[in-house]
Amino acid sequence: MDFSEYKDIYVFAEQRDGKIQSVALELIGKARELSKVTGEKVVAILAGCNVASQAGTLIEYGADKVVVIDDKNLETYVTEQYTQAVYQAVTKFKPSILMYGATTIGRDLAPRIAARLGTGLTADCTKLDITEDTHELQMTRPAFGGNLMATIMCPNHRPQMSTVRPGVMPKSEPDKSRKGEVVEFKPTFDQSKFIVKLVKNVKEKKNTVDISEAKILVSGGRGVGCKEGFEKLQGLATVLGGEVSSSRAMVDAGVMPHDRQVGQTGKTVRPSVYFALGISGAIQHLAGMEESDCIIAVNKDKFAPIFSVADLGIVCDLNKVVPALTERLKKEIKK
Amino acid sequence: MKLLVCIKQVPDTTEIKIDPVTKTLVRDGVPAIMNPDDKGGLEFALQLKDKFGAEVTVITMGLPQADLILREAFAMGADKAILLTDRKLGGADTLATSKALAGAARMLDWDLVIAGRQAIDGDTAQVGPEMAEHLGIPQISYVADVQYDDKAKKFTVKKETEDGYQILEFQGKALLTCLASAVKPRYMSVGGIVEAYDKEVEIWGADRIDVPETELGLKGSPTKVFKSFTKELKQPGQIHEVDAEEAVELIVAKLKEKHII
């Protein structure tokens, strides 16, 4: 394999209903950072139907070039249609690195493309580095339920591919004055392979708030105990303009919905402030929140592991602290 | 209908602890279980068997002791079991694993391949889709329900997404990766447990599958583990044992320091 043919850092810019997903912008931010080491371009692959107008957004956030694949076959994500389109773009443009969001789409598409290309793929990365000398990608990911971290490389194959957990990489500030190149790419589709038919695509409004977007998270665990307890947390979150999230224990107990779960099997979050209330801090939970800018933990057990990552640790009964804090903040904010 | 179900033996990761001194994984005494998503997939297969009389073959690639989960599958209702085990398959990443399993699948007769979404030891969710690609069949991942229309010979599948679900249909061969959360696996039956140890688990080596050795195991793995380590936790701040009043003062001060209020 001649590596010299493979260059630039590519991002699969996931969109849904024509809306660029936050993770795509996060990946462009990361690609920008890596490109400072390699001196390569940051290229976004934007696939969909009537999405060309979104290319500008990708450039504002740091793409030097956008490969637009606009086709009726790509209206809604279906594995084979997208695999054909992205595979053909990859074989034409030959990226050195290609990153996808670790979403239900990215985690479905990337392995299919990896197998078609015969290259490696590292799943759910939380950290990406590049070697100064050989420009090889070092992909770090949690394994064994977050108990162990592994750094993976793909030394003999190109492109080097990874999926990256949403909410982990910081976006760049958008810059309206940035200029970039937009190229159209027309794949040839083999419709005989379109065996799976999409009957319907249902959006469930399950009161969905994306906790990974929240600046302030008020998160509760076993110590909160019940629905009524979480209502008090909601009161605190509302005063601060934040959202309520939860540990796995409370989701398993049916008290909180899964989309509010922080941790290895839930979401990765990095808010400005993370309140960990009555959360002991199992390693699987820490894996999802320890990148938060400021962690404030309240727990009755002074030996709770959550205190090992907290910026401010309070050993006290949260049922006393939360109402008092909520009242106090109402006054503070009125001032 | 013939169903091939891929299962994996994994350490129960919720039971794994880090040795605080050596900073390594403590694996002693950690139970080895059938991967939960795979067990969900097996349950879907057994439900198809209940309704349509399917023949269910389970296959696993792993160490000889993975025999245990194949016996468990027998006790739940599987008809045949294959253990793909060989030193040559050791150290395989997802691509090399999927090549080996696809190689084994090619030696068997089936209408549908069912696997779990991901295994709890690696959480990659890659082997299923990669295997489907090698077999040249479509995949549906994140499967939460499987229905079959016997007359039209058509499968209807519910796939979960972040913000809802999709309903997908297909006729012909495909591979599904299933969610443990979508289904409650049946318990092993008492009779099944007794019989499970009388049934034969077929042992296959790498010579039974038609895949070049260069594509198997560590040799056939494009990704390499460069290093592994336990996480460095950040330096903790101060811990205060205080009453609620003082706690509020400390938190308010912190929020002011961070310009939140």
Side-chain angles (χ1 to χ4, degrees):
Chain A
M1 184 168 237
D2 182 6
F3 283 9
S4 65
E5 289 182 16
Y6 291 82
K7 62 176 187 349
D8 297 335
I9 304 174
Y10 279 62
V11 168
F12 172 71
E14 183 179 322
Q15 55 79 26
R16 296 182 189 201
D17 301 321
K19 189 175 178 293
I20 304 281
Q21 298 296 293
S22 179
V23 68
L25 305 176
E26 293 161 21
L27 293 181
I28 289 172
K30 187 65 198 180
R32 208 48 284 144
E33 207 182 299
L34 298 174
S35 74
K36 284 186 192 137
V37 180
T38 67
E40 291 175 307
K41 280 184 185 159
V42 173
V43 186
I45 298 178
L46 176 59
C49 181
N50 298 323
V51 290
S53 59
Q54 303 286 316
T57 308
L58 300 170
I59 292 168
E60 280 172 28
Y61 276 88
D64 297 307
K65 180 170 149 185
V66 180
V67 175
V68 175
I69 315 174
D70 210 304
D71 196 286
K72 207 159 59 27
N73 286 309
L74 303 175
E75 194 169 349
T76 310
Y77 176 81
V78 184
T79 312
E80 182 61 26
Q81 281 80 328
Y82 270 70
T83 305
Q84 288 189 16
V86 176
Y87 171 80
Q88 288 174 41
V90 171
T91 50
K92 179 174 178 355
F93 294 102
K94 297 189 167 52
S96 173
I97 292 171
L98 174 54
M99 307 187 277
Y100 312 73
T103 60
T104 55
I105 289 177
R107 296 174 102 229
D108 186 78
L109 175 67
R112 194 83 200 191
I113 293 191
R116 203 163 286 191
L117 291 164
T119 191
L121 173 65
T122 305
D124 293 11
C125 296
T126 52
K127 191 165 177 275
L128 296 169
D129 296 297
I130 206 145
T131 59
E132 294 277 347
D133 45 355
T134 54
H135 297 171
E136 282 178 287
L137 191 63
Q138 294 183 320
M139 302 166 270
T140 301
R141 68 182 305 269
F144 289 102
N147 289 286
L148 193 70
M149 301 299 290
T151 302
I152 314 278
M153 294 176 75
C154 182
N156 305 315
H157 294 77
R158 292 292 180 270
Q160 306 164 84
M161 302 213 304
S162 68
T163 64
V164 180
R165 285 197 78 150
V168 175
M169 305 295 173
K171 288 179 218 174
S172 309
E173 282 299 314
D175 175 0
K176 296 251 181 225
S177 67
R178 280 196 93 243
K179 295 273 179 289
E181 183 191 354
V182 178
V183 287
E184 262 190 66
F185 178 70
K186 287 262 167 233
T188 41
F189 287 100
D190 176 1
Q191 307 234 0
S192 72
K193 296 271 167 58
F194 297 173
I195 293 160
V196 174
K197 311 272 184 248
L198 179 68
V199 181
K200 59 178 173 177
N201 193 29
V202 181
K203 296 248 160 38
E204 281 178 320
K205 282 273 167 247
K206 33 190 175 188
N207 198 6
T208 44
V209 177
D210 190 355
I211 55 166
S212 61
E213 299 275 324
K215 288 272 170 260
I216 296 185
L217 278 176
V218 179
S219 205
R222 248 185 254 276
V224 176
C226 56
K227 278 215 161 67
E228 291 70 35
F230 273 95
E231 279 162 21
K232 291 192 183 121
L233 265 49
Q234 182 63 58
L236 175 58
T238 307
V239 175
L240 288 166
E243 293 293 341
V244 173
S245 56
S246 151
S247 72
R248 177 174 170 174
M250 290 292 94
V251 174
D252 286 351
V255 175
M256 291 293 284
H258 182 255
D259 61 345
R260 299 261 178 175
Q261 183 190 327
V262 172
Q264 179 71 17
T265 53
K267 284 189 170 135
T268 304
V269 297
R270 50 185 311 160
S272 307
V273 178
Y274 186 90
F275 284 92
L277 306 173
I279 293 177
S280 64
I283 191 111
Q284 290 86 350
H285 186 78
L286 302 185
M289 48 63 79
E290 65 184 320
E291 297 291 320
S292 305
D293 292 342
C294 175
I295 297 168
I296 300 174
V298 181
N299 205 301
K300 274 199 277 198
D301 174 12
K302 67 176 169 186
F303 299 108
I306 190 74
F307 289 127
S308 69
V309 298
D311 298 273
L312 174 61
I314 307 271
V315 182
C316 192
D317 181 0
L318 73 96
N319 293 309
K320 293 192 179 124
V321 175
V322 170
L325 180 62
T326 310
E327 286 314 308
R328 174 67 189 277
L329 288 172
K330 277 183 189 160
K331 286 181 200 148
E332 284 289 333
I333 287 164
K334 256 189 207 154
K335 271 185 204 170
Chain B
M1 190 191 309
K2 289 189 166 153
L3 304 172
L4 179 63
V5 182
C6 303
I7 60 178
K8 184 183 184 186
Q9 189 179 44
V10 292
D12 188 344
T13 52
T14 55
E15 300 286 324
I16 292 184
K17 300 267 182 306
I18 303 285
D19 184 316
V21 180
T22 62
K23 306 272 182 207
T24 52
L25 289 182
V26 181
R27 295 205 201 199
D28 289 346
V30 176
I33 57 171
M34 189 190 306
N35 179 54
D37 281 342
D38 304 352
K39 206 171 188 173
L42 176 58
E43 177 58 34
F44 280 125
L46 294 171
Q47 287 178 9
L48 290 169
K49 178 182 171 176
D50 293 343
K51 284 185 206 154
F52 305 102
E55 181 189 79
V56 176
T57 301
V58 284
I59 184 166
T60 191
M61 175 174 135
L63 299 169
Q65 54 263 40
D67 178 79
L68 206 63
I69 58 163
L70 295 171
R71 302 284 172 194
E72 185 181 350
F74 272 146
M76 285 172 69
D79 303 291
K80 288 184 182 170
I82 297 165
L83 172 57
L84 184 58
T85 186
D86 198 311
R87 274 168 192 274
K88 288 173 187 152
L89 304 173
D93 71 356
T94 57
L95 191 73
T97 302
S98 64
K99 284 248 175 85
L101 285 169
R106 265 187 237 110
M107 311 306 289
L108 298 162
D109 183 22
W110 42 265
D111 302 294
L112 191 67
V113 182
I114 299 181
R117 167 196 47 166
Q118 64 190 33
I120 56 172
D121 55 350
D123 292 319
T124 73
Q126 284 169 198
V127 172
E130 291 185 335
M131 191 180 165
E133 173 65 21
H134 301 315
L135 292 169
I137 57 172
Q139 90 219 18
I140 301 176
S141 54
Y142 296 89
V143 168
D145 190 33
V146 185
Q147 296 297 330
Y148 181 63
D149 181 340
D150 206 7
K151 287 204 187 73
K153 305 258 177 271
K154 188 169 73 184
F155 285 96
T156 303
V157 169
K158 180 180 177 189
K159 172 193 170 96
E160 282 197 356
T161 61
E162 281 88 350
D163 49 5
Y165 62 91
Q166 292 182 333
I167 301 294
L168 300 152
E169 280 180 356
F170 65 91
Q171 287 172 302
K173 294 184 173 187
L175 183 148
L176 310 179
T177 75
C178 303
L179 297 169
S181 56
V183 69
K184 196 169 167 20
R186 65 197 60 194
Y187 291 108
M188 295 181 277
S189 70
V190 176
I193 295 170
V194 175
E195 281 169 26
Y197 282 88
D198 295 331
K199 287 190 178 166
E200 190 207 353
V201 167
E202 282 185 46
I203 312 280
W204 288 21
D207 56 339
R208 289 289 297 269
I209 58 174
D210 188 18
V211 181
E213 250 183 63
T214 52
E215 295 182 10
L216 296 172
L218 193 62
K219 250 189 263 174
S221 298
T223 60
K224 309 286 178 202
V225 178
F226 172 62
K227 61 175 177 185
S228 64
F229 52 97
T230 50
K231 254 195 222 173
E232 285 293 322
L233 295 175
K234 68 178 196 184
Q235 286 300 312
Q238 272 197 307
I239 300 176
H240 307 267
E241 285 190 69
V242 292
D243 61 18
E245 208 173 310
E246 271 180 80
V248 168
E249 292 308 320
L250 287 165
I251 294 170
V252 168
K254 195 67 171 177
L255 293 175
K256 282 185 175 162
E257 179 195 320
K258 297 281 170 190
H259 306 289
I260 303 295
I261 53 171

